[in-house]
Amino acid sequence: DTSEDTLTFSFDAVNIPLGSSHIGMQEGETITVDQALHGLLLMSANEVANGLAERVSGSIEAFVTAMNKRAAELGATHTHFANPHGFHDPDHHTTAYDMALITKALLKEDYFLQIEKDAKYQIPVTNKVNEIRYLAQQHKMLNPSSSSSIYREDVIAGKTGYTDEARFTLVTVAKQNNRTLICVILDSGRDDFYPDTAKLLDYGF
């Protein structure tokens, strides 16, 4: 039960690269796994990715090994993960096809889709922080309050990404009637990834 299970952040988990996305978790801070997964999927929180990795596999390194093994099992032949969160690393690479394969596997998990429905979410006061953390879905096609011109009712899941090296990346899942489409945009410009996603989805449907 992810609402009962907890994780406590280590020094290694919160020690993330300067300028990378986070929700300000502190060493020794404890939250539930459910809260952590919302921080990860809604806000791309890198320290949360590290904390979950340690919670699942005992260490960040062991989790990365497991990630690569699972990706290979899913048929991702051109993917190698170097960390749990996707921050730039010379040994970290993937393809649009592989990202779609991994996303397809995720769509079998009802819990993942439930989290994706939460456009807004709150992490209450913790043992270390005396204020509520307000989270919001960063994928604008999933969040009706972020941009009415970009939001789409048929989009059921997705994930944003950005690094200076990879530029803007976006994975989007949309469903109409009995057809589900996965759209993956890589190496995109700031003004292009949402319009290109919309065009590809419309074309597919």
Side-chain angles (χ1 to χ4, degrees), residues 1-66:
D1 182 359
T2 57
S3 61
E4 299 291 331
D5 287 347
T6 61
L7 69 142
T8 300
F9 288 81
S10 69
F11 171 79
D12 286 343
V14 300
N15 187 20
I16 56 173
L18 201 64
S20 66
S21 51
H22 63 87
I23 56 168
M25 301 307 301
Q26 299 179 16
E27 182 181 358
E29 190 170 4
T30 300
I31 59 174
T32 69
V33 171
D34 185 58
Q35 290 163 356
L37 286 166
H38 279 83
L40 177 77
L41 290 168
L42 270 55
M43 301 292 290
S44 302
N46 289 3
E47 84 278 32
V48 174
N50 285 339
L52 284 165
E54 290 181 340
R55 178 74 172 72
V56 170
S57 298
S59 73
I60 292 169
E61 293 74 23
F63 186 77
V64 170
T65 299

Side-chain angles (χ1 to χ4, degrees), residues 1-172:
D1 182 359
T2 57
S3 61
E4 299 291 331
D5 287 347
T6 61
L7 69 142
T8 300
F9 288 81
S10 69
F11 171 79
D12 286 343
V14 300
N15 187 20
I16 56 173
L18 201 64
S20 66
S21 51
H22 63 87
I23 56 168
M25 301 307 301
Q26 299 179 16
E27 182 181 358
E29 190 170 4
T30 300
I31 59 174
T32 69
V33 171
D34 185 58
Q35 290 163 356
L37 286 166
H38 279 83
L40 177 77
L41 290 168
L42 270 55
M43 301 292 290
S44 302
N46 289 3
E47 84 278 32
V48 174
N50 285 339
L52 284 165
E54 290 181 340
R55 178 74 172 72
V56 170
S57 298
S59 73
I60 292 169
E61 293 74 23
F63 186 77
V64 170
T65 299
M67 283 177 80
N68 285 317
K69 181 171 181 282
R70 183 70 179 124
E73 286 170 359
L74 294 173
T77 54
H78 294 86
T79 292
H80 182 266
F81 298 115
N83 57 55
H85 44 63
F87 196 79
H88 180 71
D89 187 290
D91 293 327
H92 201 102
H93 53 84
T94 190
T95 64
Y97 180 77
D98 284 1
M99 277 287 107
L101 279 179
I102 292 166
T103 304
K104 186 179 178 184
L106 257 178
L107 294 178
K108 296 174 183 170
E109 305 295 332
D110 289 338
Y111 177 42
F112 166 70
L113 292 170
Q114 282 300 122
I115 293 173
E116 293 283 89
K117 285 179 183 171
D118 291 333
K120 293 180 178 175
Y121 187 80
Q122 296 179 15
I123 298 177
V125 169
T126 69
N127 62 318
K128 290 280 188 179
V129 173
N130 199 25
E131 58 186 36
I132 295 170
R133 285 181 174 91
Y134 295 93
L135 313 184
Q137 171 61 259
Q138 299 300 294
H139 192 313
K140 291 182 179 179
M141 287 182 164
L142 280 163
N143 190 341
S145 60
S146 65
S147 173
S148 58
S149 63
I150 295 175
Y151 173 74
R152 287 177 63 121
E153 286 190 355
D154 60 344
V155 172
I156 59 168
K159 187 69 195 71
T160 58
Y162 176 82
T163 64
D164 289 344
E165 294 82 4
R167 302 208 304 155
F168 291 90
T169 64
L170 193 71
V171 177
T172 307

Side-chain angles (χ1 to χ4, degrees), residues 180-199:
T180 301
L181 299 181
I182 299 169
C183 178
V184 182
I185 301 283
L186 302 178
D187 189 25
S188 185
R190 180 182 297 275
D191 299 325
D192 301 325
F193 57 103
Y194 283 117
D196 287 350
T197 295
K199 287 175 192 169

